[in-house]
Amino acid sequence: MAQTEALLTKQPAPQTIDPCELPPKVYNVACNTGEHTSSGLPTAGFRTAKYLMDEWYQNSYARYHQAFSDRDYSQRQRHESQQLAAETGSLAHRTQQDSTLKVGERLEEMHCWKSNLQQEVEDLTSETDLLLAQKQRLERALDATALPFSIAIDNLQCRDRRQHPDLVRDYVEEELLKEADLIRKIQELLKRTIQQAVNQTRLNREQKEMCEMGFSDKVESYNIDQSCSLYHNDSPEVQFHLHSTKFEESASTPQSWAKYTQDMLLRAEHERLGSVNLRSLIDSILRDTSEDLRLQSNAVNQAFVRRCEELEDAQNKLKYHLQKTLREISDQEHQISGLKQAIKDKEAPMRVAQTRLYQRSRRPNVELCRDRAQFRLLSEVEELNMSLTMLREKLQDAELALRNLEDSRMALEKDLAVKANSLFIDREKCMAHRHRYPSILRLAGYQ
């Protein structure tokens, strides 16, 4: 006998044990098990035995009556069967239409999720490309900081070759030290930001792969459901699948299915927004660091210009004092020559006065008189000695002043050489080297 099958009016609960074949059940009579029963269970019985004549007549009449009863029962069965077939056919058509409608609704829902996943994959792809472009800007900016750092270190090393007393820790050196420290901090910041960009790129790609896997599964499921929605009773591909009604233990529910996809999209969107924020942070970091470097570079250049002006002013003043000192040395040399000549000019009067005294000391007897002439000669010699003493003292003072002037001249000339060396280092070495300082576009990673 054919086994009855009940129509499902609602989704069955998932099976908790593995399906297995049950022992066959023998039905004694045909019966309908419910309103939606698709078929009955017809029966037929046979009796084989030998009868007596009386029994033969009784059996014939019984057979006539049984035939009549069977015909009546058969007619009723045919009517009921036709009615049942029509009802089950209509029910099957309605359930098939409802199943097709449910599959169509599922296709629409799946198409929505599939489109969202596809859009998220495209957004993650474009966002990752933009983040990689920002990462390249960071790398170019990091490479661009090498030149300013080498310029700052070279300026500090060049200025160490200044001579005393210009070897001072002036504001130029302080600005250069600030610049070197600023560049080191910026390099560390750029390296940390590059690592953040690398980590964010990895997270973006992981979420993109997850979305691509989900999109691939959605596409495959969509194609399966789409082909299922096209099946009909006359489709050549349809066939019996006895165990297709069982539920897999790993099957998801509509709620878990939607939550899984929604969580995937939320994680992808979270990483994408994190990438957008990181790109904005990178842009602000590059803008601020490039501006800070250019501002510090301008501060160093202004300090160099100011220092060079101070050195030029000091150099001009030294030249002025050297010129005055040289003129004073020349005047002092002439003065010394005049003093020496004055001392020399006093020798003849001194010889004359001393000779007169010597000759008068040879006067005989009483003629050796201390007369006014004698006193005047003595006073004349004394005056000449005092004049010579004063002239010699002035000559010593003049020679001392000349030596001091010569020392000053040597010091001024040495200081002028030191100033010239300092100007050469600051202007020709340092400032000329700073003309190679990278532009703000290069420091921002655009070049």
Side-chain angles (χ1 to χ4, degrees), residues 318-334 402 405-406 408-410 412-413 416:
L318 287 174
K319 288 180 180 180
Y320 172 78
H321 286 287
L322 178 61
Q323 185 179 5
K324 291 289 187 181
T325 302
L326 291 175
R327 188 179 296 112
E328 184 63 27
I329 287 174
S330 177
D331 295 340
Q332 192 65 255
E333 287 177 346
H334 286 93
L402 181 61
L405 288 173
E406 289 293 341
S408 298
R409 178 184 64 83
M410 292 178 62
L412 290 172
E413 290 177 347
L416 275 172

Side-chain angles (χ1 to χ4, degrees), residues 151-170:
I151 290 175
I153 297 301
D154 181 73
N155 290 163
L156 289 171
Q157 292 176 351
C158 286
R159 299 189 91 247
D160 286 340
R161 294 195 291 270
R162 291 174 298 169
Q163 299 175 357
H164 178 78
D166 283 359
L167 188 60
V168 295
R169 186 183 177 91
D170 52 6

